[in-house]
Amino acid sequence: MSDDALAAEARADAGPGTVQAMLARACGSEKDGPRFALLLQEALPSAERLGAGALRELAPLLKHVNGLFARADVPIGYRERVDRRLRALLASVDEAYLPEGVLPVHDAWAAPLRERVRDAPSPDLTRFVRHLASLSAPRPTRAWHRACVALAGEAAAREEVAECLRVLAEDEPHCPREDGPHTGFSCGYHHLVHPHHGDVARGLVWAAALTGGPEAVPRLQAVALRMGTSGRDLYEGPKVAGAAINALGAVDDPSALEALWRLRTPVTNRGLRKQLDTALQAAAERQGITRAQLVERTVPAHGLGPDGSVERVLGDHTARVAVEGAAAVRITFTGPGGRTSRTAPAAVKDGFPDELRRSKALAKEVRATLSSERARVEGLMSEDRVWPYAEWREFYRDHPITGAVVRGLIWEFQGEDGLWRASLADPGGAAHVRLWHPIRAGVDEVRAWRERVVEEQVRQPFKQAFREIYLLTPAEEGTAAYSNRYAAHIVHYRRLYALFKERRWQANFLGRHEGGHHGEARGEFGGGEWRACFHHEPAGDDGDWAIEHAATDQVRFERRHGGRWREAPLADVPPPVFSEAMRDVDLFVGVTSIAADPDWADRGEDRRAAYWREAGFGALTASAEVRRAALERILPRTKIADRCALDGRHLVVRGELRTYRIHLGSANVLMEPDGAYLCVVQGRRAPGTLYLPFEDERLSLILSKALLLAADDKITDASIRRQIGRVIT
């Protein structure tokens, strides 16, 4: 019978014989995956209309069809509809039979359940696995929750579920080609879960959370980290990571909240970060607090004492892990004689290798938390947060890790008279506390704080006293909707994109593909209520596929309205939000502009040479002005103070052979008297002892160049000697 005749008979309510013929004809097309799927889509509706007895007679053939289809090379769009109908038919004729393809044939993460199904099949176990595969959303319904727990209990499968989660969390990816026939379901990309099995893997993750509770938390965190971080984007990594994140949000235990907190830094995928926010928001609502409060209350202490340290006795030695300042975490070892070393003694290495490894792992975890807290607290600069004094003292000042960041910052304390007073120390007895921002302070107050920070040699965890302030300019008041302050700059695009990621701005990637000709980077401020949009585009001169340079354009602002963003006039943007957003854009342009590239002068008559000279030696930005203010206070304390002077936009350094002008924005150097450019390429930075009130790579570069050029007669680098000229012999 021809295909057309079979199709016509199928439309006329075919009998068992016709259905059998249609299924057999479909099996003959197994090597042509799309045709195989289309023929089954015609045959299966007819099979569904057969009576129970006729279907039971067709059960062996249906199982054969299922086996062929599970191994066929069928596109995912064709596969889903056929799988759903075929599995329903098989369930109606044999409750204990688990169709092939529901669980992967070779993947290690499914082995515990797969082996249980093979060795001890039962209707209860089959129903449970089918239920896992029915989850097609990041967050299942409550009915799915209840059914999952009940079916897991009936199938006695909790141990297998826990073991599957362990493999997903800990085992290395496995390619079946190494020990068995290739099925098309996994190999070649080091992925863990193929799209055909994403739903069952997601259901398994949720089952582990619902049946394992707090004990499953470490492995749920590990799954989210492995499958949701960079390099795991292929196949179902984000889907499974999202399930783990949402499952953590459903576990009502402090350890789950701590796990979500730790995932905030390494997870950068935009969709997963939204799911993290959702999970944290749900957990916060259960406790009756805001998401921001939940985050600051779940910062892990890692077992550290109030002084930020913990000690472990290792035989005759004591290992101490301690937070030192706002940027350092160190391990020290003290021996029997009281001698302290930062290197583990041989007795510790040989006698306590596991304890030493755990101490190093703890130091690494504390270091990551400290870095994350420093970034989180700096993010508060764009918010108008006010804390009750007792709450601030508990979750900020007295926290063993957050406290290390807090102690180097200026805070404002509200007294009983309602007035706010700024202080580096906790005066006690305040009603409320807020983070000091120079945009709310007068010029004299800012100057006084800068003097005090330098005088007392306070190294702040981030720029605060010397923080740049960005106010609306008349030009921006005129344009109203956008700022052109940082437009028309030429930047190194790869560096710019990397900096977007580092500062947690979301951006599309420029390229010669659809949608790659216009870039828009978006950063959230003001506790997520405001968003800055920085526009940029390819510079237009790159001949190959990759974009080497980009041109900057407008900055616009949007305000959150429910789940949507609406563009807002610049005048409506709160001053701290505007200032912090423009500070980031200034950083993007200042760091990645070709004007800061010391090698650009070697390009000869490049058509962008005029821009390089103008931007590399032009007017100072707000960031460069702050650098100048810091140098005014730092230089008198250096050994080259008598050889340096600040002159407008330059630091003038008098060497033995020449005088040099270092631009305070780009750190580019001109030599007097002829104004020739001096190329000094930054080498590996050695740890120095010069005090700086904040971490600023460009400020460090300017000072290192000044120290070098003040003793230009002692320079040994041949390239620099040639540029300085014939004076050096």
Side-chain angles (χ1 to χ4, degrees):
M1 188 178 293
S2 67
D3 289 352
D4 291 340
L6 281 172
E9 192 166 339
R11 285 192 291 271
D13 291 335
T18 302
V19 173
Q20 183 176 3
M22 295 176 72
L23 291 173
R25 187 174 294 274
C27 291
S29 302
E30 62 172 303
K31 294 183 180 180
D32 183 352
R35 176 171 170 76
F36 188 15
L38 289 173
L39 289 175
L40 286 177
Q41 286 182 37
E42 291 182 359
L44 293 178
S46 297
E48 291 170 347
R49 291 192 289 269
L50 295 176
L55 269 180
R56 279 194 294 272
E57 292 180 5
L58 285 175
L61 179 57
L62 288 171
K63 292 178 181 179
H64 176 66
V65 170
N66 168 234
L68 292 178
F69 192 71
R71 292 171 172 78
D73 186 11
V74 179
I76 190 74
Y78 288 87
R79 179 173 293 278
E80 290 179 352
R81 283 174 291 181
V82 173
D83 269 340
R84 186 167 53 249
R85 282 189 141 152
L86 189 53
R87 291 171 185 177
L89 283 169
L90 288 167
S92 68
V93 297
D94 188 349
E95 287 189 348
Y97 177 74
L98 183 66
E100 288 190 50
V102 176
L103 290 174
V105 177
H106 292 286
D107 292 357
W109 61 267
L113 273 176
R114 185 173 61 239
E115 292 168 3
R116 171 80 184 279
V117 170
R118 181 195 64 201
D119 297 338
S122 70
D124 289 338
L125 184 60
T126 301
R127 279 194 295 269
F128 174 62
V129 176
R130 284 180 181 145
H131 185 72
L132 297 183
S134 70
L135 181 57
S136 58
R139 289 176 294 277
T141 64
R142 291 184 179 179
W144 194 96
H145 282 201
R146 291 191 296 270
C148 181
V149 174
L151 289 170
E154 292 169 3
R158 295 190 180 192
E159 290 185 7
E160 287 80 6
V161 167
E163 181 62 13
C164 288
L165 182 67
R166 185 198 67 77
V167 178
L168 270 176
E170 300 174 6
D171 276 15
E172 285 301 312
H174 175 65
C175 175
R177 282 185 175 177
E178 297 174 0
D179 60 5
H182 175 46
T183 65
F185 288 141
S186 71
C187 82
Y189 290 99
H190 296 290
H191 56 274
L192 293 172
V193 179
H194 189 277
H196 298 171
H197 306 119
D199 287 347
V200 72
R202 184 158 51 185
L204 191 148
V205 166
W206 269 98
L210 295 172
T211 61
E215 293 182 2
V217 165
R219 287 172 180 164
L220 290 170
Q221 179 186 346
V223 168
L225 189 62
R226 293 188 72 204
M227 307 288 283
T229 52
S230 179
R232 300 287 184 184
D233 294 338
L234 291 171
Y235 295 85
E236 299 299 272
K239 176 185 283 190
V240 180
I245 287 169
N246 286 288
L248 282 169
V251 177
D252 193 7
D253 188 82
S255 64
L257 297 179
E258 183 175 320
L260 288 171
W261 188 94
R262 293 188 183 188
L263 290 169
R264 291 170 62 250
T265 299
V267 173
T268 58
N269 178 286
R270 184 180 179 184
L272 293 179
R273 288 193 65 81
K274 286 185 176 180
Q275 295 188 58
L276 264 174
D277 289 342
T278 300
L280 287 168
Q281 183 65 40
E285 289 174 355
R286 286 201 303 268
Q287 297 188 26
I289 57 178
T290 66
R291 189 174 68 87
Q293 287 176 309
L294 178 68
V295 169
E296 63 195 17
R297 293 178 186 196
T298 53
V299 179
H302 298 290
L304 303 184
D307 64 345
S309 71
V310 63
E311 294 184 349
R312 293 175 176 174
V313 177
L314 308 178
D316 294 334
H317 292 79
T318 300
R320 183 173 187 265
V321 177
V323 179
E324 298 181 4
V329 178
R330 293 190 173 92
I331 305 178
T332 56
F333 302 89
T334 304
R339 184 177 179 180
T340 300
S341 170
R342 290 185 180 176
T343 304
V348 173
K349 291 181 181 178
D350 298 338
F352 303 91
D354 293 339
E355 290 82 351
L356 178 60
R357 186 165 51 252
R358 282 193 287 270
S359 294
K360 289 182 177 180
L362 173 62
K364 183 178 180 181
E365 290 179 359
V366 174
R367 199 172 289 117
T369 299
L370 181 62
S371 175
S372 179
E373 276 300 88
R374 191 165 59 246
R376 183 183 70 83
V377 174
E378 185 175 11
L380 296 172
M381 294 291 284
S382 70
E383 298 185 40
D384 194 19
R385 285 284 305 279
V386 175
W387 294 265
Y389 174 73
E391 186 175 313
W392 173 82
R393 183 179 59 193
E394 179 180 357
F395 300 113
Y396 283 83
R397 189 198 70 178
D398 295 343
H399 192 280
I401 297 177
T402 311
V405 178
V406 164
R407 285 188 284 276
L409 296 173
I410 305 164
W411 295 84
E412 290 184 274
F413 299 87
Q414 187 181 45
E416 294 181 357
D417 56 3
L419 298 178
W420 292 94
R421 296 175 178 85
S423 175
L424 269 169
D426 178 11
H432 295 92
V433 185
R434 68 184 183 188
L435 188 59
W436 182 84
H437 197 300
I439 205 165
R440 291 195 301 265
V443 174
D444 292 340
E445 182 183 352
V446 172
R447 184 183 298 113
W449 274 115
R450 290 178 176 179
E451 295 286 356
R452 181 176 172 185
V453 164
V454 174
E455 182 66 29
E456 298 181 9
Q457 294 204 5
V458 176
R459 185 170 176 81
Q460 296 199 286
F462 52 80
K463 281 186 186 180
Q464 189 191 28
F466 284 89
R467 201 169 191 82
E468 304 87 347
I469 297 175
Y470 301 79
L471 301 173
L472 276 177
T473 63
E476 288 163 343
E477 291 174 350
T479 58
Y482 61 89
S483 168
N484 270 332
R485 190 183 308 196
Y486 295 104
H489 285 274
I490 305 300
V491 298
H492 290 286
Y493 178 63
R494 295 282 179 155
R495 298 179 196 171
L496 179 68
Y497 188 77
L499 203 52
F500 287 154
K501 296 298 183 183
E502 181 181 325
R503 298 293 296 179
R504 294 201 173 278
W505 284 54
Q506 300 290 335
N508 62 307
F509 193 78
L510 296 182
R512 305 188 190 287
H513 53 266
E514 185 177 356
H517 297 281
H518 174 77
E520 183 180 1
R522 298 172 294 276
E524 294 187 11
F525 297 88
E529 294 301 311
W530 290 88
R531 186 166 75 176
C533 304
F534 179 32
H535 297 266
H536 52 285
E537 59 189 16
D541 67 336
D542 303 317
D544 57 8
W545 185 264
I547 301 297
E548 183 179 355
H549 299 103
T552 62
D553 207 332
Q554 300 174 354
V555 178
R556 293 175 177 264
F557 285 83
E558 297 174 340
R559 188 172 189 175
R560 188 188 294 275
H561 288 268
R564 297 185 177 182
W565 294 95
R566 295 180 185 172
E567 189 167 300
L570 298 182
D572 291 353
V573 182
V577 170
F578 181 83
S579 184
E580 292 299 306
M582 297 302 281
R583 180 177 182 270
D584 267 6
V585 178
D586 187 359
L587 173 71
F588 297 151
V589 174
V591 170
T592 65
S593 169
I594 63 171
D597 187 342
D599 294 326
W600 199 266
D602 295 336
R603 293 182 175 234
E605 293 302 317
D606 187 279
R607 69 187 183 88
R608 296 199 181 106
Y611 163 77
W612 181 84
R613 285 190 293 269
E614 179 183 351
F617 299 98
L620 299 184
T621 63
S623 180
E625 290 286 2
V626 166
R627 214 168 282 133
R628 175 189 171 90
L631 285 168
E632 288 175 346
R633 294 160 175 82
I634 295 170
L635 283 172
R637 300 171 179 270
T638 67
K639 63 182 181 181
I640 60 170
D642 60 336
R643 290 182 170 271
C644 297
L646 288 165
D647 179 17
R649 63 189 67 165
H650 296 93
L651 170 60
V652 181
V653 181
R654 179 173 53 84
E656 292 293 333
L657 305 173
R658 284 212 188 200
T659 298
Y660 309 88
R661 301 176 67 84
I662 307 175
H663 191 260
L664 300 178
S666 65
N668 289 339
V669 182
L670 296 178
M671 298 183 288
E672 294 183 347
D674 54 356
Y677 172 72
L678 174 63
C679 179
V680 181
V681 179
Q682 183 180 11
R684 182 181 297 175
R685 188 173 61 181
T689 57
L690 183 64
Y691 160 75
L692 296 177
F694 51 83
E695 188 174 340
D696 185 311
E697 186 175 354
R698 194 63 54 83
L699 177 58
S700 298
L701 179 58
I702 290 170
L703 283 169
S704 66
K705 287 185 177 183
L707 290 166
L708 173 73
L709 298 173
D712 56 1
D713 60 327
K714 294 182 174 60
I715 293 174
T716 59
D717 184 276
S719 173
I720 299 177
R721 289 167 61 89
R722 282 196 302 270
Q723 293 178 77
I724 291 176
R726 288 191 302 272
V727 178
I728 295 180
T729 60

